[in-house]
Amino acid sequence: MSTKNSATYWKRNLKYLAILLSIWFLVSFVFGILLVEQLNTIRIGGFKLGFWFAQQGSIYVFVILIFVYIRLMNRLDKKHGFNE
């Protein structure tokens, strides 16, 4: 593995992490805590949206982000020749 290839790999990996963690922060902290009162004015299926984000939504989003990260990393590994 060349140094340039590994640097590109890690740069892309850190980019994926920053984007995915930003999404998780947005959903868990901003939607679940900061905007909870505004979101509670919206009801979906009988539940207040802010409450849903605080209690369940952030967990669902986190699990989805894990699968997205796995998919992105598998694709990145293949691109840089690290796939098994």
Side-chain angles (χ1 to χ4, degrees):
M1 173 196 226
S2 69
T3 305
K4 183 179 179 181
N5 193 22
S6 64
T8 305
Y9 178 85
W10 280 110
K11 191 174 185 179
R12 182 63 60 106
N13 185 9
L14 292 176
K15 182 179 176 182
Y16 289 157
L17 284 174
I19 292 170
L20 295 175
L21 289 175
S22 297
I23 292 169
W24 187 51
F25 175 78
L26 178 76
V27 171
S28 65
F29 188 73
V30 175
F31 290 170
I33 296 173
L34 296 179
L35 298 176
V36 69
E37 295 301 324
Q38 291 85 358
L39 291 174
N40 278 340
T41 60
I42 302 169
R43 289 184 176 266
I44 295 178
F47 296 101
K48 296 176 182 178
L49 187 59
F51 176 78
W52 186 81
F53 270 114
Q55 298 300 316
Q56 297 174 348
S58 60
I59 295 169
Y60 290 147
V61 169
F62 186 69
V63 171
I64 291 168
L65 291 176
I66 289 171
F67 287 110
V68 169
Y69 180 71
I70 290 169
R71 185 178 174 114
L72 290 171
M73 287 308 296
N74 282 337
R75 196 179 307 167
L76 186 64
D77 287 349
K78 284 181 184 177
K79 182 178 178 181
H80 290 274
F82 297 127
N83 58 333
E84 295 175 1

